[in-house]
Amino acid sequence: MKRRTKIALITTGSFLAVGLLAVTGLTTYNKMTGKAQATKKVGYQTYVATYTPALTMTGKVMASKTQTLNVPSGKLQTLNVTDGQVVKNGDVLLTVTNTEIQDAIDAQNDVINKANRAATNAATSLKNIQQGYGQANTDTKSSLKGEVVQAQQTVNDANAELQEAQNKLVELQNKQTTNLTAPFDGIISVDNNTKDGIPALTLNASQKILQANISEYDYHKIHSGDQLVVSGIDGSPTQSTTVDKIQQIPNGDGKGTTYYPFTANVKKDFLYGQSIKVEIPQRDIKIPKSAIYKNNIYKVIDGKVSCIKADVTQSGTSTIVNSGIVKGEKIVLNPDSHLKNGESIDD
């Protein structure tokens, strides 16, 4: 009886051990096969290539040229413009009198009066001599002939001196008053709060420009001639224009990020000093870093994968495509070792 019991126990233990081994093996197998299945991707995602976002910034509208005019010294004679008036190139803005020349003019008038009297006296003397010459007999006339010639010469000299004095007076008078004219078309600003009583004039050109600043990090992203869109802060007015000039010398105090001014022409609808928004479209194509696998990019053409060499440049955290992909093309976002060239995928 005891022997049978012992045999039964041994038999039962053997079955249990075999069962345990089977369960353990099955569990291990399931884990191994499950892990292998987990490493194989079920599907692939696609990404449509597009341009990088436009550069955006704010700026101001200003005159393309602003010039503080050099007003001549003297006494204001006439002011022909008012603050904010539109003027044309060559318009007379004001006239001043040179007070220092007035003394010279007065002295020259004295010279003219003296020369005039001398000319009058010479003419009178000549007339008297000519009358005496006409009344003289033949013998006397021969002796008076020399006096007539000499008197005539005196008259000529006196008249020449008078003419010279009058010409000099005209020169002085031309210098007495000076006109200030507009050097270009624009809007004049008049400041009457000056110590000498002569208004200070500033001319703002009619042509308006926008001025904005580009950071040192984006400086290489814009060029002269690039298209941009400018608009008022509230969206109106709006205009497409081109970058005119980018300064190489930065503005500001040099602390923190460096910014460089650039300009573009804008239409007259914008106001001087108006705050504006600037958008500069970009033509770079930026793709996620995950789309590159072992230096390759996988384009999707008509539902099939086409593998190309990745021609890209890293710009900070961005991956910029240099060639091989254009806007609107699809690429695989998550390629891996299982993805083959020519493979059909659900895009």
Side-chain angles (χ1 to χ4, degrees):
M1 183 71 178
K2 290 182 179 179
R3 183 173 178 172
R4 289 180 180 178
T5 302
K6 187 175 181 180
I7 293 172
L9 288 172
I10 291 172
T11 303
T12 302
S14 297
F15 279 118
L16 288 172
V18 172
L20 181 61
L21 288 172
V23 170
T24 303
L26 181 61
T27 302
T28 303
Y29 174 79
N30 287 336
K31 287 183 178 179
M32 291 178 64
T33 55
K35 184 176 180 181
Q37 289 173 354
T39 60
K40 185 176 181 180
K41 293 186 180 296
V42 176
Y44 296 101
Q45 297 174 322
T46 58
Y47 173 85
V48 178
T50 186
Y51 293 135
T52 56
L55 294 175
T56 59
M57 60 212 72
T58 59
K60 290 283 187 181
V61 174
M62 58 179 52
S64 62
K65 184 193 301 184
T66 298
Q67 182 176 332
T68 299
L69 304 182
N70 186 18
V71 180
S73 59
K75 182 179 180 181
L76 181 64
Q77 182 173 329
T78 56
L79 176 63
N80 302 321
V81 292
T82 57
D83 188 52
Q85 181 175 331
V86 176
V87 297
K88 296 291 185 181
N89 183 12
D91 285 353
V92 177
L93 308 178
L94 58 75
T95 302
V96 297
T97 300
N98 190 332
T99 54
E100 295 179 359
I101 292 183
Q102 186 59 51
D103 293 338
I105 290 176
D106 293 340
Q108 190 61 29
N109 279 323
D110 291 340
V111 172
I112 290 175
N113 291 334
K114 183 178 179 180
N116 194 41
R117 288 194 298 270
T120 300
N121 292 335
T124 300
S125 178
L126 174 60
K127 183 178 179 180
N128 292 334
I129 291 174
Q130 286 175 334
Q131 287 179 348
Y133 179 82
Q135 296 173 357
N137 55 35
T138 303
D139 294 336
T140 306
K141 280 185 178 181
S142 59
S143 62
L144 292 177
K145 187 175 182 179
E147 294 182 14
V148 172
V149 173
Q150 186 177 358
Q152 183 63 59
Q153 186 60 47
T154 301
V155 169
N156 293 341
D157 292 342
N159 288 333
E161 290 180 4
L162 176 60
Q163 186 62 52
E164 183 179 354
Q166 289 173 336
N167 291 340
K168 189 172 182 180
L169 177 62
V170 171
E171 291 179 7
L172 291 172
Q173 288 173 334
N174 290 336
K175 295 178 181 179
Q176 185 182 23
T177 58
T178 304
N179 293 327
L180 176 65
T181 59
F184 50 84
D185 295 353
I187 297 177
I188 198 74
S189 296
V190 181
D191 180 8
N192 290 304
N193 297 319
T194 57
K195 294 181 179 179
D196 59 3
I198 303 294
L201 303 182
T202 302
L203 184 58
N204 298 283
S206 298
Q207 176 60 55
K208 298 174 184 176
I209 61 171
L210 70 84
Q211 179 170 304
N213 299 306
I214 190 79
S215 75
E216 58 187 301
Y217 307 109
D218 294 326
Y219 188 85
H220 67 284
K221 295 180 181 179
I222 67 170
H223 311 83
S224 295
D226 283 355
Q227 292 287 326
L228 61 84
V229 177
V230 56
S231 61
I233 297 298
D234 61 354
S236 179
T238 184
Q239 176 192 358
S240 294
T241 183
T242 57
V243 176
D244 178 42
K245 186 176 183 181
I246 309 168
Q247 299 291 344
Q248 298 185 45
I249 306 301
N251 61 9
D253 55 10
K255 296 180 181 179
T257 302
T258 303
Y259 289 90
Y260 298 82
F262 68 92
T263 58
N265 291 328
V266 296
K267 57 187 179 182
K268 294 182 179 180
D269 294 354
F270 290 92
L271 304 175
Y272 291 104
Q274 183 177 0
S275 298
I276 44 97
K277 295 184 296 185
V278 180
E279 290 189 1
I280 305 177
Q282 297 297 288
R283 291 295 180 265
D284 289 335
I285 292 179
K286 182 171 67 174
I287 63 173
K289 198 170 183 179
S290 65
I292 302 173
Y293 181 74
K294 290 188 176 181
N295 247 0
N296 292 319
I297 298 175
Y298 295 81
K299 293 201 296 183
V300 180
I301 303 174
D302 295 331
K304 292 186 178 182
V305 173
S306 176
C307 178
I308 64 170
K309 195 73 173 176
D311 181 12
V312 297
T313 300
Q314 288 298 130
S315 178
T317 59
S318 301
T319 303
I320 306 299
V321 177
N322 299 321
S323 64
I325 297 176
V326 297
K327 179 184 177 184
E329 286 188 320
K330 288 183 179 180
I331 61 174
V332 177
L333 186 61
N334 53 339
D336 58 13
S337 60
H338 302 285
L339 185 61
K340 305 301 179 183
N341 192 34
E343 180 178 342
S344 297
I345 66 170
D346 183 10
D347 60 344

